[in-house]
Amino acid sequence: MATTDGLTDLADAGAMIGPLKISVVIPCRNMGAYVGAAIDSVFAQTYAAHEVIVIDDKSEDSTLQVLESFGRRITVLKGPGRGSSVARNLGILAATGDHIAFLDADDLWLPHKLERQAKLLSAECGFVFSDWYRSDSPDKPGAPILLGYSMVCEGTVFSNLLRENFVSTPTVLVRKELLAHTGIFKPELIGGQDFDLWLRLAKWTQFGWAREALVFMRKHDGNITGSRQYPYYRARVWGELLREHSQEAPSDRAYIKWRYGKSLYDAGRHAVRLMDVPMARQHFALAWKAGHSRALVTFWYMLARMPYCVLNCLLQTKRSVARRLSARQAA
């Protein structure tokens, strides 16, 4: 396992003596409209945090003015503008607590979040997550998200987590010492760097599950999963997981290989829909090499090799047929 320079070597993981010193790490870029409420939700906790570290990742809005209003109650670090992974890593390395809790600048913690999770930590369990709400308004949070997940579990979670990522970053409380063994977020990964880290941590510690929604996550246009680039990011993550976990049980290795091939195939189809022919061909070629559904890959690869005008006509026809079918079903 990789080690990480700069992480403090803490006492033995089983020495859970005295109150926890929880460092809260909040990456922030152009979130002036939300970050104040996020920080307020930390100070409203029934279990007080040891420190709040906000990494301003080259914001160009009112973020700095909002952060300055908190004075010395928070620590503000300057990020290089390279994204949330690098920002969170800066916060982790600067943290003086023995546990790390992550919060995104546009999300909120419910008041008992840290208290509920702290009770689940033990010598064997150094990682605790919870359920969460997700909507465009905290006044209408909707139903807890994990109600729709089938493989969520606690304890030894690697195989289940691999097949269904049921851990959301703002719900996490983790013993900092563990990160010295697993490493921290990989900056080269986007839109799946948290999933990669959770899987590495799952090989070192048991996971605890606070079975209630303790976080509110805002749904808005800036979310990474809505990005046009997200299918490409996802394919890269599965490629990294295939490399990282090559020594796992045969069933897990086979699943990772299948997901890698499928993510390449899906990224190729996404590129076709965007009329990005070079990107489509690249991903279909990699999907073929990965051995994913070669008949389908061949069909879509040949489709991507058609002249632009023909491909555009076919896509327009497909969309028109889909609209008519949808209208007919609605009627």
Side-chain angles (χ1 to χ4, degrees):
M1 289 291 177
T3 59
T4 305
D5 294 339
L7 286 175
T8 305
D9 286 330
L10 302 178
D12 181 77
M16 306 294 292
I17 300 174
L20 305 181
K21 294 170 63 178
I22 300 174
S23 297
V24 182
V25 173
I26 307 175
C28 183
R29 178 176 172 84
N30 295 333
M31 287 290 168
Y34 302 126
V35 66
I39 296 171
D40 284 339
S41 77
V42 176
F43 288 127
Q45 291 295 299
T46 56
Y47 192 110
H50 169 65
E51 61 186 349
V52 179
I53 302 173
V54 183
I55 305 88
D56 176 57
D57 209 25
K58 290 195 172 181
S59 294
E60 299 173 342
D61 64 352
S62 62
T63 293
L64 282 176
Q65 290 90 332
V66 174
L67 298 181
E68 288 171 356
S69 71
F70 287 93
R72 296 184 178 181
R73 291 196 294 163
I74 66 174
T75 299
V76 179
L77 304 179
K78 291 184 178 180
R82 292 176 53 201
S84 59
S85 288
V86 173
R88 288 194 185 102
N89 288 346
L90 288 173
I92 292 169
L93 296 175
T96 61
D98 49 26
H99 286 73
I100 305 289
F102 299 109
L103 177 60
D104 289 344
D106 53 346
D107 298 332
L108 304 169
W109 283 349
L110 276 65
H112 292 86
K113 194 262 189 189
L114 294 182
E115 180 183 354
R116 296 279 200 272
Q117 292 187 304
K119 292 177 180 178
L120 297 177
L121 291 165
S122 68
E124 295 78 21
C125 173
F127 184 107
V128 180
F129 67 98
S130 76
D131 205 338
W132 68 96
Y133 299 110
R134 182 175 177 83
S135 77
D136 55 6
S137 171
D139 296 326
K140 298 179 180 179
I145 295 298
L146 288 183
L147 292 176
Y149 284 64
S150 62
M151 303 198 74
V152 58
C153 66
E154 59 186 336
T156 302
V157 304
F158 182 87
S159 291
N160 282 39
L161 185 64
L162 179 66
R163 288 159 176 80
E164 183 178 65
N165 183 13
F166 46 77
V167 176
S168 184
T169 304
T171 75
V172 169
L173 175 63
V174 60
R175 186 177 300 128
K176 185 181 176 185
E177 185 269 344
L178 291 167
L179 298 170
H181 300 291
T182 66
I184 45 184
F185 294 100
K186 295 178 181 176
E188 65 272 20
L189 298 181
I190 303 174
Q193 67 274 24
D194 49 356
F195 182 43
D196 166 72
L197 178 55
W198 308 157
L199 287 170
R200 281 182 276 138
L201 283 162
K203 295 161 71 172
W204 278 88
T205 188
Q206 293 186 7
F207 280 31
W209 174 16
R211 302 187 181 215
E212 58 182 308
L214 297 173
V215 177
F216 170 76
M217 298 177 61
R218 294 184 195 272
K219 184 179 180 180
H220 56 78
D221 293 339
N223 296 137
I224 187 68
T225 53
S227 165
R228 288 161 65 98
Q229 302 297 312
Y230 184 69
Y232 310 140
Y233 299 153
R234 185 170 53 193
R236 186 169 186 177
V237 168
W238 282 103
E240 177 63 17
L241 295 180
L242 185 62
R243 185 197 66 79
E244 177 80 34
H245 302 288
S246 60
Q247 303 302 315
E248 297 306 311
S251 60
D252 289 339
R253 288 202 311 271
Y255 180 79
I256 295 172
K257 183 178 180 181
W258 175 76
R259 281 299 302 265
Y260 175 53
K262 185 178 186 303
S263 68
L264 291 168
Y265 171 69
D266 290 342
R269 291 188 60 184
H270 176 72
V272 169
R273 287 191 289 271
L274 296 179
M275 297 301 295
D276 189 343
V277 174
M279 187 68 80
R281 293 176 182 176
Q282 173 186 335
H283 282 86
F284 287 137
L286 290 171
W288 171 274
K289 187 175 180 180
H292 181 78
S293 300
R294 288 186 166 175
L296 285 174
V297 171
T298 300
F299 170 79
W300 280 91
Y301 181 80
M302 296 306 296
L303 190 67
R305 292 186 62 86
M306 290 182 176
Y308 180 90
C309 59
V310 175
L311 179 57
N312 186 51
C313 182
L314 288 173
L315 288 174
Q316 292 293 341
T317 301
K318 179 178 181 294
R319 290 165 186 157
S320 177
V321 171
R323 283 195 297 269
R324 287 200 298 269
L325 289 174
S326 177
R328 186 178 302 173
Q329 290 173 354

